[in-house]
Amino acid sequence: NAGVMQNPRHLVRRRGQEARLRCSPMKGHSHVYWYRQLPEEGLKFMVYLQKENIIDESGMPKERFSAEFPKEGPSILRIQQVVRGDSAAYFCASSPDRKLSYGYTFGSGTRLTVV
Amino acid sequence: QQQVKQSPQSLIVQKGGISIINCAYENTAFDYFPWYQQFPGKGPALLIAIRPDVSEKKEGRFTISFNKSAKQFSLHIMDSQPGDSATYFCAATTAGGTSYGKLTFGQGTILTVHP
């Protein structure tokens, strides 16, 4: 089992460009969570998705950010018109079920740098 | 009310010593308290977790102490080793009922164990 795969590992974007971050959950996991980690801070919840459904997006900024988890393929976190303040590490976690369990596993993250 | 406050921000310990990291929470609905270990360039990995029906949980050199009335919990690392040098995050969530795996993290503690 390859674990939770996130790519790219590092992403550099100029202000105003779009950033697309991908998360492939562990095999058999249909629940995905996205978190953002600003420098020297803890992780902050952004969004929780199940296949084809957004369950909780209470941590997502209202503008420019969107997430999806299609029936086939990875979950995508999309940031439009990036600004310097979007520079952070973005982590996804996947889980085999709705409840928090020991199967809840984080990926290694995507480090986004906006220049 | 959703915050989890963690201290200290950084900690330096000699090899063989005891590392102690403290967390405090406000939301009395939290009923599951995991600790995560994060190495540079990696995602957080679950270290140990506790539910509030017990006051202490021990796994090897790692112990969680939990004080429900004070709404505080702490991680003790006995016989600290240089390989324990990492960032440690406490977290909290509600694990019962209709809840799901939305974690609220503390700010993190950078632990350095000197040989």
Side-chain angles (χ1 to χ4, degrees), chain A residues 9 33 35 56 99-100 104, chain B residues 32 41 46 97 100-103:
Chain A
R9 292 295 307 275
Y33 301 78
Y35 292 82
D56 180 351
K99 297 291 186 185
L100 190 71
Y104 193 100
Chain B
Y32 182 75
L46 179 66
Y100 45 86
K102 176 181 177 181
L103 290 163

Side-chain angles (χ1 to χ4, degrees), chain A residues 19-82:
Chain A
R20 290 171 68 88
L21 288 62
R22 287 178 291 278
C23 170
S24 296
M26 289 181 69
K27 187 176 180 180
H29 289 196
S30 59
H31 302 254
V32 166
Y33 301 78
W34 284 92
Y35 292 82
R36 177 164 64 175
Q37 184 177 28
L38 294 169
E40 316 226 336
E41 290 188 17
L43 286 77
K44 296 280 196 291
F45 169 81
M46 299 182 75
V47 62
Y48 164 44
L49 310 103
Q50 294 177 20
K51 282 283 187 182
E52 300 184 276
N53 289 301
I54 297 174
I55 307 302
D56 180 351
E57 56 182 347
S58 60
M60 290 273 274
K62 293 286 185 272
E63 297 177 350
R64 302 186 298 107
F65 285 72
S66 63
E68 63 176 10
F69 189 15
K71 187 177 180 181
E72 302 290 338
S75 176
I76 306 288
L77 180 67
R78 183 182 178 201
I79 311 172
Q80 295 179 292
Q81 298 176 308
V82 296

Side-chain angles (χ1 to χ4, degrees), chain B residues 12-34:
Chain B
I12 299 174
V13 173
Q14 292 295 126
K15 179 183 175 182
I18 302 174
S19 304
I20 302 175
I21 304 170
N22 301 298
C23 285
Y25 64 98
E26 299 170 357
N27 187 349
T28 55
F30 287 149
D31 60 3
Y32 182 75
F33 303 89

